[in-house]
Amino acid sequence: SPVGVGALYMRRDSLAKIAPYPGEEDPENTRAATRIHTATSNFAAMMVVPEAIAFHQKLGPANKEARLRYLRASWTAPAEQMPHIEVLGGKDEQSWSGMGAFRLRGQSSAAEVNQ
C-alpha cells in the first residue's frame, strides 16, 4: 500500500500522555517529533498537500473534528459495553484522534487470539 502523508500536532501539555517512539530520546519531554517514525516519504502525495489543506479549510476544522468524534463514539460506546472487547486508546475526549483500535479482552498477542 502507498505511504501516506500526515502531520502530527500535539499541544505541549499532551506530550506526557504519549511515550516517545522506541529508540527516540526526549529527556526534556518537549518534542512531538520523537512520538512518530516518519519512514519513507511519498513525494507525489506531498505535492497535493496544498489542495488537501484547502479542502480541509473548506469543510471547516471544527466540523471535521466533530464528525471524527461522532464516528469514534458511534462504535466505541457500544463496543465498551461488550464484555469481550477492550477499546484501546485514550479514555478522555482530549486524547481521542481520528484513529481507533480494539482487541479481545485479555488477549494481547497473536498466539492468544489464534487459540
Side-chain angles (χ1 to χ4, degrees), residues 86 103-115:
E86 178 183 3
R103 67 179 167 202
L104 299 176
R105 190 171 300 281
Q107 298 185 3
S108 58
S109 71
E112 291 172 316
V113 171
N114 292 324
Q115 288 182 4

Side-chain angles (χ1 to χ4, degrees), residues 57-77:
Q57 294 298 338
K58 184 177 178 180
L59 288 175
N63 290 332
K64 190 173 180 182
E65 179 182 352
R67 178 68 176 165
L68 290 172
R69 289 183 186 280
Y70 165 79
L71 290 172
R72 183 188 191 281
S74 72
W75 73 268
T76 58

Side-chain angles (χ1 to χ4, degrees), residues 7-71:
L8 175 67
Y9 171 82
M10 295 178 68
R11 292 183 186 102
R12 288 201 186 278
D13 61 349
S14 70
L15 289 172
K17 293 183 179 182
I18 301 175
Y21 189 82
E24 294 284 347
E25 294 185 19
D26 187 9
E28 287 84 40
N29 202 28
T30 59
R31 295 179 37 233
T34 62
R35 272 55 179 184
I36 60 169
H37 180 67
T38 57
T40 304
S41 298
N42 180 343
F43 292 104
M46 286 184 190
M47 293 175 66
V48 298
V49 166
E51 288 183 39
I53 291 172
F55 181 69
H56 169 75
Q57 294 298 338
K58 184 177 178 180
L59 288 175
N63 290 332
K64 190 173 180 182
E65 179 182 352
R67 178 68 176 165
L68 290 172
R69 289 183 186 280
Y70 165 79
L71 290 172

